[in-house]
Amino acid sequence: MSLGQKKKKRKCNGCQKYKEPKGSNNVIAWCSDRCQTVIIRRALRKSKIQNEKVFREIKTRVRGSDRSRAIANTQKAFNSLIRALDAGEPCISCGQFECGHRMTCGHYKSVGSGKGISIRFDPRNAYLQGSACNQGEAKYGGARARTVGQKYTERLIAKMGQDMVDWLEGPHPIAKYDILWLTSVRTLFLNEVSVLEAGGEPTRDWRALGGHSDLQPPTN
């Protein structure tokens, strides 16, 4: 730009008016020191908001990861409890002592049957089940082709009574599994497993209808 030539007017990013900008090659134009201050403060606020948003997103992911880990660890402890409670019993579905390659924990109302099902970690909702039945590979009844689930229901009624099955069928509230509750019941399960594996008697009737308020998770 030659001496004395006026700068081309540009829209000020502070007052939003078209004026001659400060400096010679401004990417962000301003017409006065006051407007420059406005622009800087605006940029700082935007940066702070963006940083806070990123922080919240990271915090949410971390919390979600911690909660997922707590659920997985509690599930392992719960599975161990069911295997200890029913040690020496046959598969709840087929009645065989050898069913698949191992005996495991089989839920009556499966984890996937309802989002956040509140009886996921309730021993009344799970019994010893062979891996073949647990994975849904076995079929029974020849032409009638009754499924593993149907056999489970029949044998559970014979074992625990119709009232138990009626209770399990619900309805049940949606659980809000928080880390504190998950840690608490995990400790409870592991302590009981230690007692049972040492040859002791159960410290409570885990399959009794009613009671067990400490096994009820927070709900929405």
Side-chain angles (χ1 to χ4, degrees):
M1 184 172 60
S2 61
L3 185 63
Q5 183 179 351
K6 288 188 176 181
K7 301 174 186 176
K8 185 178 179 181
K9 288 185 178 181
R10 295 178 58 186
K11 187 176 182 180
C12 172
N13 282 271
C15 63
Q16 302 298 308
K17 296 180 181 178
Y18 282 90
K19 296 183 178 181
E20 185 178 309
K22 294 281 186 180
S24 57
N25 293 302
N26 293 300
V27 176
I28 298 177
W30 67 89
C31 65
S32 66
D33 292 341
R34 181 177 180 180
C35 284
Q36 183 185 25
T37 301
V38 169
I39 294 168
I40 291 172
R41 287 178 176 173
R42 186 190 301 150
L44 288 173
R45 284 196 301 271
K46 183 178 180 181
S47 177
K48 182 179 179 182
I49 291 171
Q50 289 175 336
N51 289 339
E52 288 177 348
K53 182 179 179 182
V54 171
F55 176 75
R56 286 195 300 270
E57 290 175 350
I58 293 174
K59 192 173 181 180
T60 300
R61 287 199 298 270
V62 169
R63 283 180 175 175
S65 176
D66 288 345
R67 181 174 173 274
S68 297
R69 189 179 301 110
I71 288 175
N73 289 337
T74 303
Q75 186 66 65
K76 289 179 182 178
F78 179 76
N79 294 350
S80 296
L81 173 64
I82 299 305
R83 289 195 297 269
L85 285 174
D86 294 347
E89 295 188 13
C91 170
I92 188 65
S93 293
C94 66
Q96 302 298 312
F97 287 94
E98 293 185 8
C99 172
H101 63 279
R102 66 189 180 95
M103 302 300 279
T104 185
C105 166
H107 285 78
Y108 178 76
K109 297 296 286 186
S110 67
V111 174
S113 64
K115 182 179 179 182
I117 183 170
S118 63
I119 56 174
R120 173 174 180 170
F121 299 114
D122 193 315
R124 292 167 289 190
N125 183 44
Y127 300 83
L128 197 67
Q129 187 179 48
S131 58
C133 288
N134 185 267
Q135 295 167 8
E137 297 172 348
K139 297 290 181 180
Y140 304 93
R144 296 174 68 184
R146 286 191 286 183
T147 66
V148 172
Q150 289 172 317
K151 276 292 186 180
Y152 195 143
T153 301
E154 292 174 5
R155 292 184 62 82
L156 187 57
I157 291 173
K159 180 181 177 71
M160 303 299 297
Q162 184 66 52
D163 287 347
M164 177 66 78
V165 172
D166 291 343
W167 177 78
L168 288 170
E169 289 294 343
H172 299 284
I174 300 301
K176 184 179 180 181
Y177 292 121
D178 61 56
I179 295 176
L180 181 62
W181 183 86
L182 290 165
T183 303
S184 174
V185 294
R186 176 175 176 265
T187 301
L188 189 67
F189 297 154
L190 291 177
N191 288 342
E192 187 74 354
V193 169
S194 296
V195 171
L196 296 173
E197 290 183 345
E201 294 295 321
T203 60
R204 69 166 83 178
D205 185 352
W206 292 90
R207 267 56 181 273
L209 281 173
H212 303 306
S213 59
D214 53 345
L215 299 182
Q216 303 305 308
T219 56
N220 293 326

